[in-house]
Amino acid sequence: MTKKNIFIGFLMIIIISPWILLRIIKKSNIYKSTYVYNNLGNATLDYVVLGSSRGLTTLNTNKIDSVLGLKGFNASTDGGGIATNWLMLNHLIHYKVKFKYCILVLDDMGIEDNTYQFSKNTYRFIPFFNDEHIINEINKFEDCREKFNFKASRFYPGFSVFENNKIILPTAIKALFNPEKRNRFDKNGNYIYPFNDTLDKIYANDTISYKKYGHVYIEFENLCKKNNINLITYIAPLQDYHLNVPPKSHLINHSSLFNNSKYFYDHLHVNSIGRDKATDSFILNFKQILN
Amino acid sequence: MLFNSYSFLVFLPIVFILYWFVFSKSKVTQNIFLLLISYVFYSFWDWRFSFLLAFSTLLDYTSGRIIFNTNDAFKKKIWMRISIFINIGLLCYFKYLNFFIDSFEKFLNYLNLQIDTTTLELILPIGISFYTFHGVSYVMDIYYGRITADKNIIDYSLFVSFFPLLVAGPIERATHLLPQLKQKKYFNYNQAIRGCQLILWGMFKKVVIADSLAPIVDDVFLNYHNYSSITLFVTMLAFGFQIYGDFSGYTDIARGVSKLLGIELILNFNLPFFSKSIPEFWSRWHISLSSWLNDYVFTPFALRFRDLSKYGIFIAVFLTFLISGLWHGASWNFVIWGGIHGLFYLPVVFSNKGFRSLTGKSKNLDLKISDVPNIFLTFFMFSFTLIFFRSSTISDSIGFIQHIFNSNSSAFLNTTGIMGYQLLITLLSLCFLMFSEFKMTRNKHLGRIDYLFAFFMLLYFGQFKSTASFIYFQF
């Protein structure tokens, strides 16, 4: 094999590898987005939970299902803002996942968002770089380098792959050897933080109030209405403060559910015992909505 | 605008195309274009300091013309001193004023004399340490009759503000760069290819090696008391590679960009980690600074103290390295760093071999197995001094050193998951870098496959999400 052949071969590998890597990831269950694509297409569920890490770790869908006799899925993505939840909602609808209720675990950052913004984990939709339903929504996002790379990936996926190289390559390697592996969620989409007794024991009693919902939330609401999905807005427990939000039908505000830091893993997330109690309280409210 | 940013990725091709296809009619149009672009580039940092750059340029140009055109020795000396005083004065004001005030206050407090001082909130103009040195060397060379004063303000302004070297060097000499600017540049395909290779190699060193090591080094230096001795020791070495990747990477990119524009900048790093002694190290590391200090600081000191024989030479060496330390940063840490390097010259100065220059001529490397211990020793010595260079305070430096020898912690770096994967890749990249540089010591040029591999490493392991600045920008 001549040096020239080695050079050309290596060059071809570099050029083609982004397609291969993204294909491997897309065919695996490693991300929520790919799990939905591979396992939930055309599925009929009763409800879906959408949120960030607070959505991922506060509501235990296994427990909700067993108590209420329902079938649900937690499609929350850690590190995702409301715009990422929006992408996931469109993703679910596109792959004809049917569900009557969407439980949006709303963080205070997403309440008044008027623009769609990339979060640190929006890259998990990169395997769908060629899918119209994702590209159309990405077009609504604020102009930034990530958006440019995402859109440019339609022509050459290397743009997004190389930008997120530190994640994409090891993920693809993991997915290649174990395509069934899920990245920090069980088969119902849940994840749990362990019990943590190291937090400071001070419980603050501040209240932060929001006067109106932002454009992104309203669009979220409209999309649910358009697809006959009942939107439940849920504010998960917080350690340091209470959130006051404008009234909505099917609003469940549990931001000050706990007054004891023993239920929290950190200031924003409940731990294992906090999740149990939060889920129990949620079930009571959810039951009323169902009736 | 950092070299490793997306905006520079757009900036450079535009400059390249305009330079060769629109403004290439004559040397005058080329230089005017490059001068304007250089000021635009500089303005991306802070447009206000463009005026300072222009002022410094005009001062040195005028001083040079007056010194050259007069036969009056007194007038020559006065204008040389005015130029140096103002240039160094500006540098001292922006870079060292708060340091001097703070040190003075601490000194008085030590003597139990309380005094109220106020430090100013000054922004350090980027590149000031580099372009003031350009100006000082230019004026001094004219004074000592080594060069003639430039009659063309455009050419001279471009010499000072040429954008690839403006913010972090190399510190060019008028004898090397000005003659190139006085001629029309013609596109040379081989030079352009070599430029692209240098840019790629520089990006590999910066984005793959330096930026991968940075978070580890930052965390360990910040929390050294939490880590084991071996971790601290390894991190000390890692910082040596980080700063090498960062600074030599920058210089390679600067030289590569210049080659694309038909201009050759001086070599600033010449395989320093294969040095067998500290003096040899300084003939290979930041060559433009060490040669500048040799010519304009050490040599005058050595002449002044020549009556003290070898002691005088050592004093000259030591003072030069103290100044070098201070040049690197307004902190006693850097002064100590410089002082330690000065002390490393003790055996060399007092040997019987006749010491003449800080750096000597950088010889071709002809390595033997027997050189390996000296190479490792030199690297360890250099890395040890970097503890002072990197730590925030002297007490942190001493604490770091103490913990290397006496740590109560057994905590190593987190080598699981992504962190472990990144450490592995960084190690692989370092091995590739050192192997490639070893090839260069054998006068072998890197081949296409080497550059392709570097390109592959850059694409797949380069740090793109958050573009980190270059360490030497702070100087």
Side-chain angles (χ1 to χ4, degrees):
Chain A
M1 194 181 274
T2 64
K3 273 190 181 175
K4 187 179 175 184
N5 288 342
I6 295 172
F7 178 83
I8 291 170
F10 202 14
L11 190 62
M12 293 309 298
I13 289 171
I14 292 176
I15 292 170
I16 295 167
S17 53
W19 276 283
I20 298 172
L21 292 175
L22 292 180
R23 185 79 186 146
I24 292 171
I25 294 174
K26 191 175 185 181
K27 284 296 191 188
S28 75
N29 291 335
I30 204 156
Y31 292 145
K32 278 281 169 65
S33 54
T34 59
Y35 184 85
V36 167
Y37 168 75
N38 290 306
N39 297 282
L40 294 184
N42 294 304
T44 302
L45 303 169
D46 294 299
Y47 69 94
V48 158
V49 179
L50 279 175
S52 63
S53 51
R54 281 161 47 76
L56 188 61
T57 56
T58 306
L59 296 176
N60 182 356
T61 59
N62 296 319
K63 193 168 193 183
I64 296 171
D65 291 357
S66 86
V67 170
L68 297 177
L70 299 172
K71 191 176 173 197
F73 180 73
N74 194 333
S76 302
T77 315
D78 58 294
I82 191 171
T84 311
N85 303 152
W86 164 262
L87 271 182
M88 184 60 85
L89 181 63
N90 276 278
H91 194 58
L92 290 161
I93 291 169
H94 176 79
Y95 286 109
K96 297 185 172 42
V97 181
K98 294 171 205 51
F99 48 99
K100 291 187 210 126
Y101 295 92
C102 173
I103 302 160
L104 176 63
V105 184
L106 197 56
D107 294 331
D108 50 341
M109 289 166 293
I111 293 170
E112 281 187 334
D113 261 354
N114 284 319
T115 55
Y116 297 86
Q117 296 191 23
F118 276 83
S119 61
K120 66 176 187 174
N121 283 335
T122 314
Y123 70 83
R124 291 176 183 175
F125 286 92
I126 289 172
F128 302 92
F129 66 95
N130 235 350
D131 291 40
E132 291 293 337
H133 72 283
I134 294 295
I135 294 293
N136 288 341
E137 302 314 317
I138 290 290
N139 281 333
K140 293 178 183 161
F141 279 60
E142 274 209 323
D143 286 340
C144 59
R145 191 188 69 235
E146 287 93 338
K147 180 178 174 178
F148 170 81
N149 283 333
F150 209 115
K151 289 174 67 172
S153 294
R154 291 202 87 174
F155 307 102
Y156 181 57
F159 281 97
S160 291
V161 168
F162 299 139
E163 188 193 12
N164 297 281
N165 53 16
K166 287 193 178 331
I167 298 286
I168 297 284
L169 182 57
T171 302
I173 292 170
K174 276 187 220 169
L176 181 66
F177 289 107
N178 187 1
E180 297 302 316
K181 180 180 168 58
R182 296 179 296 270
N183 182 35
R184 307 211 316 176
F185 60 95
D186 63 22
K187 58 179 171 42
N188 281 336
N190 303 300
Y191 183 71
I192 184 171
Y193 285 128
F195 176 71
N196 179 5
D197 202 21
T198 59
L199 273 186
D200 50 74
K201 301 298 181 194
I202 300 164
Y203 180 76
N205 222 353
D206 296 330
T207 300
I208 298 176
S209 299
Y210 290 89
K211 290 199 168 48
K212 61 179 174 65
Y213 291 98
H215 170 76
V216 181
Y217 175 85
I218 291 169
E219 286 297 304
F220 200 101
E221 210 179 19
N222 292 339
L223 184 60
C224 287
K225 265 191 206 135
K226 189 177 162 191
N227 288 276
N228 296 318
I229 299 167
N230 295 295
L231 177 63
I232 297 172
T233 307
Y234 175 66
I235 314 285
L238 290 159
Q239 196 209 4
D240 293 341
Y241 53 95
H242 173 71
L243 271 184
N244 247 349
V245 296
K248 271 281 167 201
S249 66
H250 303 330
L251 169 68
I252 304 172
N253 189 345
H254 283 178
S255 58
S256 51
L257 183 68
F258 302 131
N259 60 0
N260 192 324
S261 55
K262 78 174 185 186
Y263 295 111
F264 290 91
Y265 176 77
D266 60 28
H267 299 277
L268 292 175
H269 304 93
V270 295
N271 56 25
S272 49
I273 57 170
R275 184 176 81 151
D276 274 342
K277 283 197 84 70
T279 304
D280 288 340
S281 301
F282 174 81
I283 286 170
L284 292 173
N285 288 96
F286 193 23
K287 206 171 176 179
Q288 288 175 349
I289 293 169
L290 290 171
N291 295 335
Chain B
M1 197 195 309
L2 297 172
F3 282 169
N4 56 328
S5 66
Y6 282 80
S7 44
F8 189 75
L9 202 59
V10 174
F11 175 85
L12 183 60
I14 294 172
V15 169
F16 180 83
I17 289 167
L18 287 174
Y19 181 71
W20 289 116
F21 291 97
V22 178
F23 293 99
S24 200
K25 289 184 174 41
S26 68
K27 161 227 136 183
V28 172
T29 54
Q30 285 178 332
N31 286 359
I32 290 174
F33 172 70
L34 283 181
L35 180 62
L36 286 170
I37 278 299
S38 297
Y39 270 81
V40 165
F41 178 84
Y42 192 68
S43 298
F44 270 94
W45 299 101
D46 193 327
W47 63 268
R48 295 170 296 175
F49 290 123
S50 303
F51 295 103
L52 188 67
L53 173 63
F55 170 74
S56 175
T57 303
L58 205 58
L59 167 75
D60 297 326
Y61 173 78
T62 308
S63 306
R65 298 277 292 149
I66 292 171
I67 292 168
F68 184 72
N69 288 328
T70 186
N71 292 321
D72 183 341
F74 178 74
K75 199 173 175 186
K76 278 182 190 288
K77 191 173 257 188
I78 283 291
W79 274 97
M80 182 198 55
R81 285 183 175 175
I82 286 172
S83 170
I84 292 173
F85 180 78
I86 293 177
N87 272 308
I88 302 300
L90 284 171
L91 185 62
C92 286
Y93 175 75
F94 283 102
K95 195 168 172 179
Y96 302 112
L97 181 66
N98 288 335
F99 166 65
F100 288 139
I101 292 172
D102 198 45
S103 300
F104 183 62
E105 186 183 349
K106 281 179 181 152
F107 176 67
L108 290 178
N109 287 341
Y110 178 73
L111 298 174
N112 286 323
L113 294 169
Q114 301 299 325
I115 186 168
D116 277 332
T117 57
T118 316
T119 50
L120 303 176
E121 284 184 27
L122 293 169
I123 305 168
L124 180 65
I126 198 150
I128 191 170
S129 301
F130 294 90
Y131 67 72
T132 48
F133 272 28
H134 280 146
V136 166
S137 70
Y138 172 75
V139 169
M140 288 180 76
D141 281 349
I142 294 171
Y143 177 78
Y144 287 112
R146 294 178 200 140
I147 58 172
T148 58
D150 203 303
K151 290 180 189 170
N152 190 315
I153 181 72
I154 302 290
D155 294 352
Y156 177 73
S157 300
L158 183 57
F159 160 70
V160 176
S161 60
F162 183 45
F163 76 90
L165 54 74
L166 180 55
V167 294
I171 302 168
E172 268 288 354
R173 303 293 188 96
T175 46
H176 183 256
L177 184 54
L178 264 176
Q180 295 184 68
L181 300 180
K182 295 226 159 286
Q183 317 219 355
K184 185 181 171 191
K185 273 71 72 187
Y186 294 92
F187 182 76
N188 181 310
Y189 177 76
N190 288 332
Q191 188 183 31
I193 290 295
R194 184 75 191 117
C196 292
Q197 288 172 341
L198 269 174
I199 292 170
L200 170 59
W201 194 244
M203 289 289 276
F204 164 70
K205 285 198 269 188
K206 163 64 178 163
V207 176
V208 178
I209 293 185
D211 288 354
S212 297
L213 288 171
I216 301 167
V217 169
D218 289 349
D219 182 51
V220 174
F221 267 87
L222 190 63
N223 303 297
Y224 61 84
H225 36 272
N226 291 341
Y227 287 102
S228 64
S229 299
I230 187 78
T231 303
L232 299 182
F233 181 73
V234 167
T235 304
M236 178 187 84
L237 303 177
F239 182 59
F241 286 111
Q242 181 199 343
I243 198 169
Y244 176 64
D246 195 283
F247 194 20
S248 72
Y250 170 87
T251 307
D252 283 348
I253 297 169
R255 291 180 62 228
V257 169
S258 303
K259 280 182 189 288
L260 283 177
L261 302 172
I263 294 168
E264 296 287 338
L265 297 182
I266 56 175
L267 186 64
N268 213 13
F269 289 86
N270 187 15
L271 311 171
F273 289 158
F274 291 94
S275 304
K276 299 180 282 298
S277 66
I278 289 291
E280 185 185 354
F281 180 85
W282 281 105
S283 73
R284 297 180 177 282
W285 175 280
H286 204 176
I287 298 166
S288 64
L289 175 69
S290 47
S291 63
W292 194 99
L293 289 170
N294 183 74
D295 293 347
Y296 301 106
V297 179
F298 168 71
T299 302
F301 273 145
L303 280 170
R304 185 170 283 266
F305 298 127
R306 62 186 178 275
D307 293 339
L308 299 175
S309 183
K310 285 185 181 176
Y311 296 95
I313 291 178
F314 177 71
I315 291 170
V317 168
F318 192 71
L319 286 175
T320 303
F321 273 101
L322 289 182
I323 289 169
S324 171
L326 200 57
W327 178 89
H328 280 85
S331 158
W332 290 111
N333 265 44
F334 290 106
V335 177
I336 291 172
W337 169 81
I340 296 173
H341 274 277
L343 289 174
F344 285 153
Y345 274 72
L346 255 176
V348 180
V349 171
F350 287 98
S351 72
N352 293 325
K353 287 177 188 167
F355 184 85
R356 288 285 174 268
S357 159
L358 277 184
T359 57
K361 268 198 168 167
S362 181
K363 303 180 191 92
N364 284 334
L365 282 166
D366 185 21
L367 299 175
K368 301 181 260 303
I369 293 288
S370 54
D371 294 326
V372 170
N374 284 337
I375 289 170
F376 275 102
L377 181 63
T378 304
F379 179 66
F380 287 142
M381 285 162 72
F382 169 69
S383 300
F384 173 78
T385 67
L386 288 179
I387 295 172
F388 291 90
F389 195 94
R390 178 59 183 77
S391 298
S392 308
T393 62
I394 295 174
S395 59
D396 278 338
S397 309
I398 293 169
F400 192 100
I401 294 168
Q402 282 174 336
H403 275 75
I404 287 179
F405 293 105
N406 190 19
S407 173
N408 292 325
S409 169
S410 57
F412 194 59
L413 294 165
N414 177 11
T415 52
T416 59
I418 291 286
M419 189 66 163
Y421 164 81
Q422 285 175 1
L423 277 171
L424 190 63
I425 295 304
T426 306
L427 203 59
L428 182 69
S429 308
L430 274 171
C431 290
F432 172 63
L433 173 69
M434 297 317 293
F435 176 71
S436 302
E437 297 217 329
F438 180 71
K439 263 172 59 169
M440 292 185 215
T441 68
R442 292 274 175 267
N443 287 323
K444 286 184 185 164
H445 294 291
L446 297 184
R448 282 190 300 175
I449 293 178
D450 297 307
Y451 285 111
L452 189 60
F453 187 70
F455 184 55
F456 169 78
M457 298 292 278
L458 181 65
L459 289 178
Y460 273 107
F461 307 115
Q463 179 70 268
F464 294 115
K465 278 219 108 142
S466 54
T467 47
S469 182
F470 290 85
I471 294 174
Y472 266 69
F473 280 14
Q474 65 185 300
F475 307 141

